[in-house]
Amino acid sequence: MLPANLVHKTQQDRKAALKRKLPALRTLIRPANARAILPHLPAPGERTEIILRGDFVLCDLIPAIIAERGYCPHLRCTTLGLSPANALTLADLHRKGRTGKLTLVVSHYFRHVNSADIFAQVKKTLAAVCTLRVSRMHCKVILIPTASGDFYTISGSGNLRTSGCLEQIAITNDRTTHDFHAGWIDTVEEEPEK
């Protein structure tokens, strides 16, 4: 076993090395990169499987789809957690009239394990525009019904937090699939704060 001071130094070195790499990584992560998915959106009744390269945050795909396909009457998302910046993206969609209702379910892990400041910021940002529930779950689903008659369900490994690694998603354009997920998302119960 390493002495505690050596372990601490090793952790500091790792954090410092990551911090030096972040500016280079951030130059690759751009919201505009989400638009590369738009030509591959499935037609009604179809499904598209995608591996994301980590060059945009999954949350960036939501406004890109809505801009492409039109108003979303009820945007529903389930995620392990999300960043304050992504909470602002969702709130802005609602404030700009691009979405009607907004429902977001996050994991209890996000509320209890992550920085209390981050959860508080997200909650404050979304308070006036969103039904926000915390539950014991690990599902990652985004539902985007659109004015153009599409019913997109995005599911996979990606959360609405950060980027920088490979993620897998499937996009289905099917009302039955959308309604199945909407049904359970709308009935997820809030886990009481302990």
Side-chain angles (χ1 to χ4, degrees), residues 34-167:
R35 290 195 297 268
I37 302 298
L38 299 179
H40 306 285
L41 290 175
E46 294 182 353
R47 174 183 170 108
T48 302
E49 298 280 342
I50 302 170
I51 299 295
L52 304 178
R53 302 178 304 198
D55 62 353
F56 67 90
V57 177
L58 183 58
C59 191
D60 296 332
L61 187 55
I62 297 170
I65 290 173
I66 292 171
E68 177 82 5
R69 304 303 294 162
Y71 176 79
C72 173
H74 190 168
L75 175 63
R76 294 172 177 92
C77 305
T78 67
T79 183
L80 186 69
L82 71 160
S83 69
N86 292 332
L88 187 58
T89 295
L90 296 177
D92 284 347
L93 281 170
H94 182 77
R95 288 190 187 105
K96 291 176 181 175
R98 305 303 310 247
T99 65
K101 251 180 122 174
L102 175 57
T103 300
L104 179 66
V105 182
V106 298
S107 173
H108 74 291
Y109 179 86
F110 178 57
R111 178 173 64 191
H112 293 294
V113 177
N114 285 283
S115 164
D117 286 349
I118 293 174
F119 179 74
Q121 287 175 44
V122 165
K123 191 173 177 180
K124 182 179 178 184
T125 299
L126 294 171
V129 300
C130 178
T131 300
L132 174 65
R133 290 192 299 277
V134 178
S135 182
R136 291 187 62 85
M137 61 112 221
H138 198 256
C139 301
K140 292 113 176 176
V141 178
I142 302 167
L143 301 180
I144 309 174
T146 68
S148 58
D150 296 296
F151 289 87
Y152 294 117
T153 299
I154 303 169
S155 59
S157 64
N159 288 296
L160 299 181
R161 292 181 76 173
T162 59
S163 188
C165 59
L166 290 178
E167 299 284 0

